[in-house]
Structure formats: C-alpha cells, structure tokens
Amino acid sequence: MTKRGFSIAVLLAILLLGVLAFFQPRQVTLAQGGTPTDDEVNRIARQLYCPVCENTPLDVCPTEACRQWRELIRQMLAEGKSEAEIKQYFVEYYGARVLSEPPRQGFNWIVYVLPPLMILAGVVLLFRTLRSWVKPAAVDEQEVEQLSADPLVRKLEEDLRRREK
Amino acid sequence: MLPEIGFGALVLAFTAAVYSVLAALLGERHQRADLVESARRSQLLTWPLLTISAVSLIGLLVNNRFDVSFVYEVTSRSMPTYLKITAWWGGQAGSLVFWAWLMAAFASLVTLRKWDRDAEFLPWVIVVTSTTLAFFLGLVIFAENPFARYWQTMSGDVVERMFRPAGTLPFVPQDGRGLNPLLRHPGMIVHPPLLYLGFVSFVIPYAFAMATLITGRTDDRWIHITRRWTLWAWLFLSLGLVFGARWAYDVLGWGGYWGWDPVEIAAFMPWLTGTAFLHSVMIQEKRGMLKQWNMLLIILTYDLVIFGTFLTRSGVLSSVHAFAQSAIGPAFFGFIGLTFVASVALLLYRWNALRAEAEMKSMLSREALFLLNNLLFLSVLIVCFWGVIFPLLSELVTGQKVTVGPPFYERATAPLFAGIMALMALAPLSAWGKSTWKTLGRAIWKPALLALLITLGLWLGGMRNLVAIIGFFLVALVTLVTLYEIWRATRARQKAQKEPFLIALGRLFARNRRRYGGYLVHISMMMMALGILGIELFQSETQATLRVGESINLSGYQVRYDEIARFPAPDGREVTRAVVSVYRDGKYLAELHPRIDFYFDAQQTMTIPGQYSTLADDLYVLLVDWQPVSAEQATFKVYHNPLVNWLWLGALVFIAAILIAAWPQPEMEVLPVRAADRSPLRVGASD
C-alpha cells in the first residue's frame, strides 16, 4: 500500500468507527429489587423527559407535576415493574416525547441515518477533492525525479530546497 | 414621553439604515463618492439614535413603567435596579433592540476605519451591515415593539398598542410580572451580551466577504482586514458559551453545565462554523487555497448567527404551532433564506475567480489536515442542526412530538471531537505544502510516548473506561505536543539570540502572537476537555431524605444535614436555606448552604446548589425538598463532579490566549509568502 493509500485508509477507519459508534445504544443499568430508593427512581427518571416542561429531564425537574411523576415511578418500581415497562407506560400516556431520543422506528430512523450519511458524503467529497489536487503534484514529482538524473538540474533543485527552508 | 422618544429614535434609526443602504447602492452605481459618504454618515447616525432608544427603554425599566407591556413582562417592583437594567435583554423585544444597538456600534466602528486602500469595499460593507440592521429594526418596529403600551377600552378589554386608540384610556398594572428567576443571576448579566457581541461581530467578516464577491476583487484583502474582527468575534462567542455553561451549572440545579438544549445548540452552531473558518482562512493566507470554501463558511456562519439569535429568544422551534403563531418566525426564516440564496448565488457567480493559486502536495500537509478539521467541525454542525430541526420535522410529517436529547448528541459528536483532538496533536507539527509520516513521526514520538506512559499510569491506577482512556490520552497528547513545540522554539531562540529562557519565551510569544496565542488556545481547550471528560464520564450522584444530624456519603465525602430555615428576602423571594457540613475521611472541610428560592412575582422556584470546589472535583449539594410539616427531614441530592473546575480554568487561559493572538502587533509584520509569490512583503500591521 502506498503511503497516501495508507493515510486514507487510517482516516477512513477513524471516521467509520465514529459512524459505527453513532448507532450503538448506550448501556443502561437496570434497577433491581428491594424498596425503591431515590437513586433507583432517579435512574429511570433521568431517562425520561418532563411531559410538560421543554427539554427538562424528569429527575431534575422542580415542578410539582414532576415530583408526582417521580412518585409514580417509585410506586411502579415497588409493584415490581421493570424499567422498560415503566418507560412504556410513560410513552403510552404522554407520547414519544418523554423519551430522550426518538424511538428507533418508522420515520424516526431518518434522525439516526441522515447525519452519518451526510458525514460520509462529506468524507468522500473531501477525499475526491484532495486526490484531484494531489495528483498533479505527484506527477510533477515523478517528472522531477526523471529530470534530476541531470546533475545540473539536481544541484539547482537542492539549492532551491535549501532556500525554501 | 419616554416611550415616544424611544420609539421615535428607533424609527429614525431604521430610516437612517434604509437610507444608507439606498445611498450606498446609488453612489456605487453612479460612481458618486458624495453619495457613498452620505451613506456612511447616515449609518454613523444609527448608533447614537439607538443609544437614545436604549436609554429610554432603561429609563422605563428602572422607573417601573408597567403601562409599557415589555416593562410589565420583565420587571417587578421588588427587583433590584441592576436587574431591572439587565432585563433589557431579558425578553425578546428588548433583546432585539440590544442586538441592533450592538450591530450599529460595530457597523459604525468598521465604517470609521481608514478606507484608502479599500474604497471599493465601503459601499458594499455599508449595504450588508445596514441591511442586517434594518432587518432587526424592522422587526422591532413592526412586530416586537418594546415601547408598546396597554390601553383599556370602554368595555374593559386591555389592548397593546404604541399609540392610544380612540376611545381608550391608559391602563397601568400595579406591578410587573418580574424577570424569569432563572435570569436573575450575575451569569445572565454577562452571558447574553457576550453571546450577542460574538454574533454581531461575525457580521463584519461576512460583510467584507460579500463586498469581495460583489466587487470581484478576489484577492485576500478581506481576510487580512477581518482577521482580527473574526478573532474578537470568536472570543466573544466562546466566552458567551462558557458563561452560559457556568450560569447553567450555578442556577439550573441539575449538576451539569450543558444539556444539548436547542437554545444552547443555537449558540454553538455559529461557533462551529466560525472555528472552522478561523482555521481555513489560514490556508488561504499561506497557500492561496480554499477561497470558495472560506466564502461558504462565512456565509454559513452569518446565517447561523441570525438563526441563533432567533432561536435563543423565541422558543418557536418547540412546536409547529409556536412557529406558525410567532410574529417573527416567518420573517426570520425569510431573511435567512434570502440572504443565504443571494450569498451563495454571488459565490457561484465568482466561483472561477476564486480558484486556488496552489496545489495540495500531500495528504499529510497542514492544509490537508486543516481541511479534515473543517470536515469534522461541519460534521458536528450537521449533527447539531439535524437534532434541532428534527422534532419540528417529525411533528410536521407524522404529527408525533419527539425529543432529541443528550444521548443522541453525545454519541454522535464524541468520536468527531476525538478526531478534532487528534488533529490538534498532528496539525501543529505538519508543514505547509508537504509532510510525510516520517517527519511527523520524528516530531511527535517524544510527546506521544509520554502521553502513552501517562495513559498507562491511569490504566494501572484502575481506570478501565475505554472512552476515558482515549480521551485522557488525547488530552495528554495535544497538551504535550503543544508544550514541546513551544519549548523547542524557545530553546532555539535562546541559543540563537543568547537570551535567558524566560525572556526567549516571552519574545517568542510577542513576535509570533498569532501562532503561539493559537497554541495556548489549544492548551486551554485541552483544560476544558479535561473538565468535560471528568464530569461527563465520572459524575456520580445520590439522593436521600435525611434527619438533622444524618449524613449522605458519596465518593469519599460525607455531607451532614445540620439545620434548615425559611425566611423572606427583601427582593421578593422566600428562601429555604439548609446548612450542611462537608467532611472527607472524618476531616471537616466546609459548610455549604444549598437553598430553594421561591419568587412570589413569577410564582417560580429556583434550586441553588451549595458547592465545594477543588482542582480535583466539585461537591455539588442540592436541597431537593423540605416540607415545613415534617421539619425534621429534608431531601438532598449530592453530585460529585470530578475535574469540572478545569473547564472554568481553561476558559480563563482561553481569554488570555485570544488576547495574545488578537492584540495588535506593534512592530513590522512579515506577510505570509506564497509558493507563487516568493518575495516577502513588509508592511505595518495596521488592520
């Protein structure tokens, strides 16, 4: 592999990793058993958004309504409901906006797919542009190498290079 | 009388702005210098006129003139005077006047410069800045008038008008509704002005870019003229963002500083394109490349600034209905669309004249790495823009409201930011024109080895979080590479000039302010990154209801609940203030006072944390709940935020770094030499 090919491969790999990371959902620790503590309630509330206030996670929302919703989570946990069931309950009652991300279904897929596609398009465009710029220079270098067989030209080249430094 | 004076001055300023656009256009068309001069003078009138308007508005605010609807909305009798003044930018109508006032100031500053060498730019710079100003003033006069008053009709209805409708009487509410409690904080006094200063100063490079495209003078003159404007704009915008983060940390009571809220992102987007622009103009200066790209970046920045201003105050993106009902929503989008289409059309018209003067020689050259940097910044922009727009789109298409929250942005932008950091380590070592893996490797191996050793130390110390390990490695690498570069250059100077090390270091910075100021910016960014990694990846929290004398334990700290009191404050609050003692390993450290403020006028509570800060971490204690009935018990939430103070320290270093980079160079400056133009030009750095 040429050096340029190698650098392209490395950069593409980095960007690909980024794109893959985009799709990987974050791991969530599940609350388990026992009397539900504030921390266990907050662990779920943190993943839900206040259905009334804009962009406020349920665990930190100071309104009375949100306090009641947190109590509801505590109650449901005490009843032995799982995290998924509690979240599902909130989605059914208040809509998908209570989730911190659009559910991965139907039209919502666009939100996840479009940015990586656009970024990939950007990468392709950038490398095509770079290649089209680099090519003439690469040809020049070959020509220079052929020319530098001539000792006079080689000396001239060296002088120029030294001056550029 | 004050409302009439303020409104009259607004109308006059609007007329002056419109006249200056027309006179500049006519003067340019008929080549009449007197008309252009008239345009310039009439533009210079706008700032004094808007100052009269602003002073009138402040007069109304501090004098409790609740017959003026804006005053009623944002102040109340109990607010202290300084907050009544800052309420100027606490509501939409006032903040639009504030924006226009700053815009007029910057437009005046730029028209007052010496134009001898750039006379052909003048009319077009006036046209662009005055059009922007006229747009904002038009919004204020026709849609969001802060001087409109309340009038009561005979039937008892209250209407809001500038001038008294027939058959009505003035209506004066007893007290105002008061400023949103969230905005009654010192952070809010400086955050909006800084953000707006950043927004407005980015209009200047845009104006010069447009002047360049229109006149067809496609050399780099506009870049040289606006370089310092751009740096100041970037400084203000960055500081606006940092102060906003600090305000959120101190006021919002959720243990964080950045929640990926659309309003935050609105201010972040022009910062992204602005940062890309700041880097890529260097390629144009040094190599004469990317001229078209720089134009596109500044056009994007300008329109994102307008978009950001609109989003910050209006909240219309929260729903389709809010947008449709908003008086200014369609106007803003129309203006953004129009300026974007017109600017891009101009760019396409001059496309061929903006071709690169040099060629890219290597994929590892500094210009190639800068291009990659641009790609990454724009990728972050794509994620942000899409995340902000999508809820609206989803509601339009499916009728379903969705939230695009932090997990989406964090997952998408983290690898992009890591890429940007990797480039920050490589780019300063690469050369313009051509670099190879070999030359890069030679320059980087020492700092890279040290960074690896530091990371290994973290691993041996028990750190197993992969993201953290990559993050800390990159922070160490960028910091070490940058310090090593500074050290190498200082040593070289020390040897060549026979100067003591510190003097050599000082002179190195003084003679190459831009480069070493830039390096210092990189170091400050790494300090901030350290704080962000710390709080994002290692924040821990716990919440419990305590009786007096009981403690919560978190990350080695003990927080003991000592007492609580509820009392009224003179500024219209009811304060519930707890006293807690902080211990570490049994040793007393501090007494904190987390509290809940209830504002009677706004009927809103605020949760203010008690903070114990060190370089290693912050202990952030919130009083979540206290019922007077069960006075014995109170609920506390405690956050442990490792390293977060490096974020604020980094911001301080950042200010110093930009001051170094942007401070006018007192001596002669060597202009960059192009491949195509080998004779160095010595000129005074007067721009």
Side-chain angles (χ1 to χ4, degrees), chain A residues 3-4 6-8 11 15 18 21-22 24-26 38-39 42 46 49 54-55 59-60 62 67 96-97 99-102 104 107-108 110-112 114-115 118-119 122-123 126-127 130-131 133-134 136-137 141 164, chain B residues 253-254 261-262 289-290 318 359-361 363 368 371-372 375-376 379 382-383 386 390 393-394 397-398 400-408 410-412 415-416 434 437 541-545 605 625 635 637 639 678:
Chain A
K3 277 179 186 170
R4 202 178 65 228
F6 180 67
S7 37
I8 292 174
L11 292 170
L15 281 155
F22 193 88
Q24 191 175 341
R26 190 190 261 187
D38 285 352
D39 287 345
N42 282 339
R46 196 183 311 144
Y49 271 70
E54 290 292 335
N55 294 302
D59 65 326
V60 293
R67 209 175 65 83
R97 61 179 298 199
L99 297 174
S100 61
E101 284 186 291
R104 287 171 171 74
F107 180 75
N108 290 340
I110 299 183
V111 77
Y112 298 102
L114 200 83
M118 284 184 74
I119 293 170
V123 173
L126 177 76
F127 278 101
L130 277 179
R131 275 173 70 103
W133 280 346
V134 173
E141 270 172 29
E164 273 178 19
Chain B
W254 43 271
D261 184 90
M289 301 164 81
L290 298 188
S318 58
E359 283 159 343
M360 193 74 70
K361 295 236 175 63
M363 289 285 194
L371 257 184
L372 203 57
L375 175 76
L376 289 170
S379 300
I382 288 170
V383 171
W386 190 228
F390 185 76
L393 200 68
S394 164
V397 176
T398 65
Q400 187 189 40
K401 284 189 106 173
V402 291
T403 304
V404 179
F408 171 84
E410 284 165 5
R411 207 169 46 237
L416 298 171
K434 196 169 165 66
W437 283 109
E541 61 172 85
T542 186
Q543 179 176 316
T545 304
T605 53
D625 197 16
T635 306
K637 190 170 194 176
Y639 289 93
R678 285 178 195 277

Side-chain angles (χ1 to χ4, degrees), chain B residues 456-505:
Chain B
L456 187 69
L458 290 174
W459 193 78
L460 291 175
M463 189 180 287
R464 292 294 181 272
N465 183 329
L466 185 65
V467 178
I469 288 177
I470 296 173
F472 286 129
F473 168 72
L474 286 170
V475 168
L477 182 67
V478 175
T479 312
L480 290 169
V481 161
T482 316
L483 288 175
Y484 185 56
E485 275 298 289
I486 295 172
W487 185 78
R488 273 204 318 187
T490 312
R491 289 283 294 169
R493 192 184 163 92
Q494 191 186 5
K495 276 184 194 151
Q497 308 285 331
K498 307 264 183 295
E499 291 166 343
F501 185 82
L502 282 180
I503 292 192
L505 180 70

Side-chain angles (χ1 to χ4, degrees), chain B residues 271-536:
Chain B
W271 186 87
L272 289 168
T273 48
T275 312
F277 176 72
L278 208 64
H279 285 93
S280 76
V281 287
M282 283 189 239
I283 310 180
Q284 181 165 347
E285 281 181 79
K286 305 269 183 199
R287 306 269 303 149
M289 301 164 81
L290 298 188
K291 293 177 177 183
Q292 300 133 335
W293 179 241
N294 286 330
M295 285 286 174
L296 194 63
L297 279 180
I298 198 67
I299 293 169
L300 269 177
T301 309
Y302 173 78
D303 278 318
L304 286 170
V305 156
I306 307 286
F307 185 62
T309 311
F310 161 58
L311 227 61
T312 315
R313 276 277 170 256
S314 62
V316 295
L317 277 199
S318 58
S319 84
V320 178
H321 307 293
F323 180 76
Q325 282 162 14
S326 146
I328 60 171
F332 257 106
F333 270 63
F335 185 74
I336 292 170
L338 211 67
T339 49
F340 187 73
V341 169
S343 312
V344 171
L346 263 175
L347 173 59
L348 292 176
Y349 177 63
R350 296 284 181 203
W351 194 258
N352 285 333
L354 291 169
R355 287 212 178 280
E357 292 162 29
E359 283 159 343
M360 193 74 70
K361 295 236 175 63
S362 143
M363 289 285 194
L364 279 175
S365 62
R366 190 177 282 195
E367 49 269 39
L369 295 178
F370 270 30
L371 257 184
L372 203 57
N373 140 311
N374 274 221
L375 175 76
L376 289 170
F377 273 108
L378 285 212
S379 300
V380 179
L381 174 74
I382 288 170
V383 171
C384 289
F385 187 77
W386 190 228
V388 167
I389 288 293
F390 185 76
L392 205 64
L393 200 68
S394 164
E395 199 188 345
L396 266 177
V397 176
T398 65
Q400 187 189 40
K401 284 189 106 173
V402 291
T403 304
V404 179
F408 171 84
Y409 294 105
E410 284 165 5
R411 207 169 46 237
T413 56
L416 298 171
F417 283 125
I420 290 172
M421 283 161 80
L423 285 176
M424 279 165 95
L426 285 179
L429 302 174
S430 65
W432 295 107
K434 196 169 165 66
S435 292
T436 60
W437 283 109
K438 206 169 151 189
T439 54
L440 267 183
R442 218 170 20 223
I444 207 173
W445 78 267
K446 283 180 198 165
L449 188 68
L450 199 53
L452 270 176
L453 284 175
I454 291 172
T455 317
L456 187 69
L458 290 174
W459 193 78
L460 291 175
M463 189 180 287
R464 292 294 181 272
N465 183 329
L466 185 65
V467 178
I469 288 177
I470 296 173
F472 286 129
F473 168 72
L474 286 170
V475 168
L477 182 67
V478 175
T479 312
L480 290 169
V481 161
T482 316
L483 288 175
Y484 185 56
E485 275 298 289
I486 295 172
W487 185 78
R488 273 204 318 187
T490 312
R491 289 283 294 169
R493 192 184 163 92
Q494 191 186 5
K495 276 184 194 151
Q497 308 285 331
K498 307 264 183 295
E499 291 166 343
F501 185 82
L502 282 180
I503 292 192
L505 180 70
R507 291 203 174 138
L508 183 75
F509 271 78
R511 300 278 153 83
N512 307 276
R513 286 165 198 259
R514 194 173 175 191
R515 165 182 285 209
Y516 292 100
Y519 282 177
L520 212 52
V521 168
H522 282 189
I523 291 178
S524 74
M525 288 287 165
M526 288 307 101
M527 292 169 75
M528 293 194 212
L530 195 65
I532 292 169
L533 283 169
I535 184 171
E536 290 295 329

Side-chain angles (χ1 to χ4, degrees), chain B residues 8-142:
Chain B
L10 269 182
V11 174
L12 284 178
F14 176 70
T15 317
V18 173
Y19 170 79
S20 71
V21 174
L22 297 176
L25 283 173
L26 279 175
E28 165 65 25
R29 193 178 163 80
H30 301 295
Q31 290 299 304
R32 280 183 49 189
D34 57 333
L35 267 179
V36 175
E37 180 58 19
S38 166
R40 193 175 80 99
R41 289 184 184 181
S42 101
Q43 189 185 53
L44 287 175
L45 259 182
T46 56
W47 189 73
L49 282 168
L50 285 173
T51 306
I52 293 174
S53 188
V55 170
S56 311
L57 188 58
I58 292 172
L60 293 168
L61 287 164
V62 295
N63 287 312
N64 301 324
R65 285 286 303 273
F66 301 124
D67 56 325
V68 175
S69 66
F70 180 72
V71 179
Y72 169 77
E73 297 285 341
V74 296
T75 62
S76 63
R77 291 184 189 279
S78 58
M79 275 166 56
T81 307
Y82 80 96
L83 277 181
K84 285 181 183 167
I85 296 173
T86 61
W88 177 15
W89 49 80
Q92 179 153 282
S95 70
L96 286 176
V97 174
F98 185 59
W99 208 102
W101 181 69
L102 288 177
M103 181 72 242
F106 275 68
S108 302
L109 270 178
V110 85
T111 43
L112 281 172
R113 72 185 287 282
K114 279 188 197 148
W115 286 92
D116 320 345
R117 290 172 62 194
D118 320 294
E120 70 265 47
F121 284 162
L122 177 63
W124 297 111
V125 169
I126 292 177
V127 168
V128 174
T129 49
S130 283
T131 305
T132 311
L133 183 61
F135 168 69
F136 275 88
L137 288 175
L139 282 182
V140 175
I141 292 170
F142 300 111

Side-chain angles (χ1 to χ4, degrees), chain B residues 145-226:
Chain B
N145 180 4
F147 297 103
R149 281 165 291 183
Y150 290 125
W151 308 95
Q152 193 161 31
T153 61
M154 290 309 163
S155 57
D157 295 336
V158 175
V159 292
E160 198 187 312
R161 297 276 189 283
M162 182 59 223
F163 297 104
R164 183 177 174 179
T168 60
L169 291 170
F171 175 76
V172 188
Q174 276 303 301
D175 199 355
R177 293 209 326 222
L179 190 62
N180 182 344
L182 291 174
L183 306 181
R184 301 182 196 184
H185 180 270
M188 261 301 131
I189 298 172
V190 283
H191 162 65
L194 282 170
L195 208 58
Y196 277 21
L197 271 172
F199 280 178
V200 166
S201 33
F202 264 122
V203 175
I204 306 301
Y206 169 76
F208 276 94
M210 290 304 104
T212 301
L213 288 179
I214 296 168
T215 56
R217 180 181 168 178
T218 47
D219 59 3
D220 300 341
R221 185 67 189 148
W222 76 277
I223 299 259
H224 291 294
I225 296 172
T226 59

